Amino acid sequence: QRITISRETDESLGPPETGTRDRAIYVRYRFPDGFEYVLAATVRGAPGSFPVLLPNSVALDVDLEKPTLGKAYHLYVTVATSLESQHPLDLALEQLATAAERGWDVTYESHRYWWRGFWSNSAVELSDRFLEGLWYYSIYQLASTSRGETAPGLFGLWNMTATPPWHGDYHGDYNLSMAHWYLFSSNHLELGRPYFRTVGAMLEAVKAHTREVYQIDGAKFPIATAPGTTVEMARHAYRLMQVSSAYYCIPLWWHYLYSRDVNFLTEVALPILEECSKFYLALVSETPDGPVIGPSWAPEQGPLPAHNVTNDLALIKVVWTGYVEGCTVTGRRSRWLEPVRDSLARFPAYPRSETRFLDSLEAPDDLMLAHPGLISMVYPAGEVDADHPLASLAAATVDTYQERTQRRSYAGRSSGSDVQGWVMQALCSARLRLAETLDRYLMDVGISEYLKPNGMITILSNAVFASRDSKRAAYDFGNEARAHHVIYPTSSTRTGRDRHIQFLEGPSALVCIMNEMLLQSHQGILRVFPALPERLAACAFRDLRAQGAFLVSARCRDTVERVEITSLAGEQCTLQLFRYREDTPVRFRGPSGPVEPTRLGPSTWSFATERGRRYTVDAGTQECRPVDLVPADTPAGPKWIVDCHGVRVYYGKPRSWHPWQDAET
């Protein structure tokens, strides 16, 4: 059996170094800025040939006797970089030797121990077992790539092409930020450490770059950059997207909201919030009609330059609000605090027509759209929800994006080309409590058009057609605007979808959408089952995390039965129940017995909590059993569903499936 490790030769950097030492084979690659990495492997338990060295690979043959079945040997592989050691080759060989000496059983058990602890953090149980499986597998993908010292790039661990598109870099216009949104409600804050380390390490260089380019104080984070550098890789108008700093800030501020970790707020989040707040203050101009923020450019669409870009306004408000609250909590005294408060008090209104939000002050009503940022005041900003006066305007804008996207895919399909469209529409539908609309975007667009057979999410829509005629009809666009640059090179078969590239924010958004169905906690209210589609009315979840540092578990069987709340910070808890009949009796119990909450509305209560204590809420005439997730009657992990077009969408390959067979196409 031949084992090969390799690194393709970069045309500008030349070939890697390949070699062998101490029973190990390795590939070493050095970069002009001094960074280098080493990939190394060694075999134990079977004899091997002398390694074969080639310009960009090194191979080792493991000798197995032909008559012997079930022969086992162990292959140890490691990667070391100059970020961890000045001598990464020595470090890699040391890691291999340590693992081999420790042995397979110990190494494997430590791996199992880590995952056992990981899966104990939270769980869901859905009547749709296909969707439930995707929740777990999406979190698995993210946990596999969000560890170590450095935040993952666009593709995480799974680049599908020899040369990664966009260099696999960090995108500041939602991609990098969205890839980490799942951390919080899923109760996996530990997986945010690489992001927080990476962004924190960038701050001083970003400030210096901002002074050099903009001649102002503050931090303008790049639209496109790479780990270990703050070089702005974006070109032309992309550099004028001012919203990037706000996107970078969102996970930092959410970490405090969901954890109430004042040390994190003081040492990590607040310094970055302050520098980004200063940068945005410098963009404010006074006009006879009030303050205007700009110049800017709405991500990938609309007039250039633009002012009061809706995407900018929604997320700058998050940054400034977080900065003010952060200063209040920590007692930070800053000369920037009052200017930020004043700007918040006189904050511009979102540009809008009578029927929908507009992209900026200069944007026309019929602007063709490429990015769903004009609904970001709903999500991720969390300002506009179903109870807000602008809710109906926001709901109309969610569907308007679908109608006016310049990146439409196939004729007769409701998908746009990019993954960001449907995920933002589903997330905003959740906050607007449009449960069936959410389900439509999730299943009929997202799962139908973007799910790969390996459970990942493609970045572009990929239709699978039931017949040749239906495929031909899908390419008959007439005079409609279509994303031809996307449709032509993309697949329209199951085989091609299997080979298509995916972005890391896909699984993150999928998890967020499902969590938002079950639990929302923006603006200080725990909303249980707020956007649950009718077909999922039998479900449960355990230890999802809410703002205010609450862990929440709940069960629903058509109506809510029981809620369990653990208070990690001892804050006041405001609870709103959905799928609840107002005449149903509700009993609150705390660690010392019954709790008498203050009733704020037909389905809303408020009560004080103690740090580390658990509280239960039973709806009905009898006390319900604890929210222990148990397997449903149907077996977990179904391999396919039939989508809204009557075509099977596979999660895993059928046993009889081969790459050259695609009967339904």
Side-chain angles (χ1 to χ4, degrees):
Q1 291 185 344
R2 171 155 290 189
I3 296 168
T4 303
I5 59 175
S6 64
R7 203 287 188 190
E8 69 171 18
T9 298
D10 186 287
E11 293 181 359
S12 59
L13 300 180
E17 172 191 336
T18 60
T20 176
R21 189 202 297 179
D22 300 336
R23 300 178 64 187
I25 56 177
Y26 67 86
V27 172
R28 183 180 192 179
Y29 212 76
R30 299 173 179 176
F31 293 79
D33 62 358
F35 175 79
E36 67 173 278
Y37 74 83
V38 173
L39 169 65
T42 190
V43 171
R44 294 291 188 272
S49 67
F50 192 79
V52 177
L53 300 178
L54 296 174
N56 63 350
S57 68
V58 55
L60 176 68
D61 287 334
V62 177
D63 299 328
L64 300 175
E65 298 178 8
K66 288 186 177 180
T68 304
L69 299 177
K71 174 68 176 178
Y73 63 90
H74 299 138
L75 172 65
Y76 298 93
V77 184
T78 191
V79 174
T81 80
S82 53
L83 296 178
E84 297 91 52
S85 170
Q86 293 181 343
H87 306 285
L89 177 57
D90 293 340
L91 177 59
L93 298 178
E94 178 185 338
Q95 290 172 342
L96 289 179
T98 300
E101 181 179 351
R102 186 171 53 178
W104 167 263
D105 291 339
V106 174
T107 302
Y108 183 60
E109 184 52 39
S110 67
H111 172 82
R112 286 170 53 84
Y113 178 81
W114 190 92
W115 282 106
R116 280 197 297 268
F118 176 84
W119 290 121
S120 68
N121 278 28
S122 59
V124 302
E125 180 183 307
L126 303 176
S127 53
D128 183 337
R129 307 309 300 284
F130 185 91
L131 205 55
E132 177 186 307
L134 287 178
W135 187 90
Y136 285 101
Y137 185 52
S138 295
I139 288 184
Y140 171 79
Q141 293 173 49
L142 296 156
S144 296
T145 198
S146 297
R147 305 217 291 271
E149 299 293 322
T150 306
L154 288 174
F155 306 106
L157 297 172
W158 303 283
N159 178 52
M160 294 288 290
T161 58
T163 302
W166 304 281
H167 313 286
D169 63 16
Y170 295 157
H171 276 18
D173 56 333
Y174 93 85
N175 303 82
L176 180 62
S177 182
M178 185 186 287
H180 295 84
W181 291 352
Y182 77 97
L183 298 169
F184 307 99
S185 58
S186 297
N187 194 26
H188 284 294
L189 302 186
E190 75 282 2
L191 297 183
R193 290 170 188 159
Y195 178 88
F196 302 135
R197 292 190 189 107
T198 300
V199 174
M202 293 170 63
L203 181 60
E204 291 305 315
V206 168
K207 288 166 57 180
H209 182 263
T210 304
R211 282 193 296 271
E212 177 184 356
V213 174
Y214 291 86
Q215 300 296 304
I216 59 175
D217 285 336
K220 165 62 166 73
F221 278 85
I223 283 293
T225 192
T229 179
T230 53
V231 174
E232 174 62 89
M233 297 161 58
R235 297 175 296 169
H236 311 311
Y238 281 76
R239 295 185 176 215
L240 201 56
M241 293 180 192
Q242 311 293 15
V243 76
S244 57
S245 290
Y247 273 119
Y248 271 89
C249 285
I250 286 172
L252 294 159
W253 178 235
W254 282 8
H255 187 281
Y256 170 70
L257 291 180
Y258 282 83
S259 70
R260 289 301 195 255
D261 185 340
V262 177
N263 288 334
F264 176 90
L265 177 63
T266 303
E267 298 170 9
V268 181
L270 199 52
I272 298 174
L273 286 168
E274 180 168 274
E275 296 302 327
C276 294
S277 294
K278 289 159 59 176
F279 171 75
Y280 286 129
L281 283 174
L283 299 183
V284 179
S285 300
E286 296 295 335
T287 73
D289 296 324
V292 170
I293 298 178
S296 184
W297 186 43
E300 303 186 80
Q301 64 199 25
L304 178 69
H307 298 79
N308 284 3
V309 172
T310 303
N311 197 185
D312 292 357
L313 296 183
L315 302 188
I316 290 172
K317 190 178 291 187
V318 173
V319 174
W320 282 350
T321 301
Y323 178 61
V324 170
E325 184 174 337
C327 288
T328 302
V329 169
T330 63
R332 186 183 186 95
R333 307 180 78 177
S334 167
R335 68 186 184 93
W336 304 103
L337 183 56
E338 285 308 314
V340 169
R341 279 184 174 145
D342 181 62
S343 294
L344 277 173
R346 301 182 304 112
F347 204 81
Y350 295 116
R352 59 183 185 262
S353 67
E354 293 182 0
T355 58
R356 61 194 174 213
F357 290 110
L358 301 178
D359 209 45
S360 66
L361 283 178
E362 295 86 354
D365 287 6
D366 58 351
L367 175 70
M368 295 299 289
L369 303 172
H371 188 288
L374 77 169
I375 50 176
S376 57
M377 75 291 291
V378 181
Y379 200 98
E383 177 186 3
V384 176
D385 64 4
D387 300 318
H388 195 278
L390 296 175
S392 59
L393 198 70
T397 309
V398 169
D399 287 330
T400 296
Y401 172 78
Q402 195 71 16
E403 297 162 5
R404 292 195 291 121
T405 178
Q406 59 183 282
R407 293 179 173 174
R408 294 188 67 81
S409 62
Y410 306 94
R413 303 271 174 153
S414 57
S415 61
S417 64
D418 291 358
V419 63
Q420 58 174 338
W422 70 267
V423 301
M424 284 295 293
Q425 289 168 303
L427 287 167
C428 291
S429 296
R431 288 292 174 89
L432 297 169
R433 298 203 285 274
L434 304 171
E436 303 309 319
T437 303
L438 178 157
D439 201 28
R440 173 167 55 86
Y441 282 123
L442 174 60
M443 301 302 297
D444 294 348
V445 181
I447 302 303
S448 173
E449 308 287 289
Y450 295 82
L451 180 68
K452 291 163 63 75
N454 64 5
M456 295 181 175
I457 307 296
T458 66
I459 69 169
L460 303 173
S461 57
N462 295 264
V464 177
F465 301 103
S467 68
R468 180 167 41 191
D469 289 341
S470 62
K471 179 176 178 178
R472 286 176 172 172
Y475 279 85
D476 185 8
F477 312 125
N479 295 322
E480 292 184 14
R482 295 284 158 174
H484 297 150
H485 68 291
V486 170
I487 296 174
Y488 292 156
T490 354
S491 89
S492 56
T493 66
R494 191 173 300 119
T495 307
R497 185 188 294 202
D498 191 29
R499 298 171 180 172
H500 205 280
I501 58 176
Q502 67 283 321
F503 272 179
L504 199 59
E505 71 259 20
S508 176
L510 195 70
V511 170
C512 287
I513 292 166
M514 286 189 265
N515 290 354
E516 289 283 325
M517 291 180 182
L518 304 170
L519 176 69
Q520 297 174 18
S521 58
H522 56 285
Q523 301 173 2
I525 301 174
L526 274 60
R527 301 169 180 86
V528 178
F529 303 121
L532 196 62
E534 193 64 37
R535 69 184 185 88
L536 299 177
C539 62
F541 62 89
R542 176 177 56 78
D543 285 346
L544 294 185
R545 185 178 279 260
Q547 293 184 20
F550 296 101
L551 298 184
V552 184
S553 305
R555 178 174 291 283
C556 179
R557 300 180 195 271
D558 189 47
T559 58
V560 61
E561 292 182 348
R562 182 178 175 92
V563 180
E564 300 169 1
I565 301 170
T566 301
S567 176
L568 302 180
E571 295 199 352
Q572 186 79 10
C573 179
T574 301
L575 174 68
Q576 185 175 11
L577 298 181
F578 292 83
R579 304 197 72 85
Y580 165 77
R581 289 190 285 268
E582 296 179 12
D583 58 349
T584 302
V586 178
R587 294 178 308 285
F588 288 73
R589 293 187 63 85
S592 304
V595 171
E596 293 296 332
T598 301
R599 193 157 191 168
L600 304 179
S603 60
T604 306
W605 300 262
S606 182
F607 59 96
T609 71
E610 298 178 39
R611 181 189 299 268
R613 298 292 188 172
R614 183 168 173 270
Y615 301 83
T616 62
V617 182
D618 291 310
T621 57
Q622 299 179 348
E623 184 173 350
C624 300
R625 64 180 178 83
V627 183
D628 293 327
L629 272 61
V630 296
D633 295 335
T634 56
K639 297 300 183 184
W640 53 268
I641 60 170
V642 177
D643 72 2
C644 59
H645 304 288
V647 175
R648 287 185 180 185
V649 175
Y650 284 92
Y651 170 36
K653 299 183 181 70
R655 184 169 298 176
S656 61
W657 185 85
H658 297 285
W660 57 87
Q661 292 178 345
D662 205 347
E664 285 145 15
T665 303

